[in-house]
Amino acid sequence: MTGVVARAAGALKRAMYRGGRPNAFMRLVNRLDALTYGAGWLTPRQAAVLKVVGRRSGAVTSVPVAVARHGGGEYLVSMLGPTASWVLNVKAAGGEAVLRRRGRDRPIMLREVPVGQRAEILRRYVAIAPGARPHVGLGPDAPLAEFRRIEDRHPVYRIHERS
């Protein structure tokens, strides 16, 4: 029974992001998450808000994200793939962004991790971000070879300090 419920929940989650974009309900949920994650109210340790200048509007956009720690580094992963708005905005901004955690802003530079070096980071990401699993299509117990098979579909960015 649990498998049936998990599959149904995954299908619902994918439907709320049809076409790689959140529907109206998920946009509202994301705004609420960004507010609570940024303030640090009862948030998971890996939760943060990515702030980046919008490529079209020029206004700062805020997106709730999960920060995956792996091998001494911190990473952001796009569960929705290379056409997610925050990914396109980061590219347009030359990697410059701000990461807000526990009420504090931290200027960062995001550098894309090359395909071929993403699999272990992707596995760590799905371990800490269960809501991303329906989009990635794998769980944290999947063989590393399966993550290698999909790593070109999910951009991964290493977080660097920016002064």
Side-chain angles (χ1 to χ4, degrees):
M1 184 67 174
T2 304
V4 173
V5 172
R7 281 191 296 280
L12 178 61
K13 180 88 189 249
R14 284 188 300 277
M16 288 191 240
Y17 283 91
R18 189 162 285 130
R21 300 277 184 257
N23 66 17
F25 175 73
M26 285 311 299
R27 283 193 304 273
L28 175 63
V29 169
N30 286 342
R31 283 188 194 110
L32 293 172
D33 282 349
L35 284 171
T36 58
Y37 291 0
W41 301 325
L42 303 172
T43 59
R45 187 176 69 229
Q46 68 273 9
V49 176
L50 177 68
K51 296 179 176 184
V52 62
V53 174
R55 66 194 180 283
R56 293 186 189 139
S57 68
V60 174
T61 62
S62 297
V63 181
V65 294
V67 178
R69 293 175 187 254
H70 177 74
E74 292 185 315
Y75 299 88
L76 297 181
V77 174
S78 174
M79 70 179 188
L80 298 176
T83 60
S85 288
W86 75 262
V87 171
L88 298 174
N89 289 340
V90 163
K91 287 183 180 195
E96 289 189 16
V98 171
L99 197 64
R100 184 168 183 82
R101 292 175 100 172
R102 296 176 189 87
R104 294 197 174 127
D105 285 347
R106 173 178 150 208
I108 60 169
M109 180 64 70
L110 294 172
R111 302 247 192 268
E112 192 165 2
V113 174
V115 172
Q117 298 175 18
R118 297 177 182 174
E120 290 183 20
I121 300 162
L122 285 168
R123 181 162 42 186
R124 177 69 186 134
Y125 174 69
V126 297
I128 61 130
R133 293 175 195 164
H135 303 286
V136 174
L138 298 172
D141 297 328
L144 200 54
E146 290 297 306
F147 287 97
R148 285 189 187 103
R149 187 179 56 76
I150 65 158
E151 66 184 345
D152 63 327
R153 295 183 225 158
H154 299 281
V156 175
Y157 290 89
R158 182 160 187 165
I159 299 169
H160 297 274
E161 294 295 325
R162 180 169 54 99
S163 44

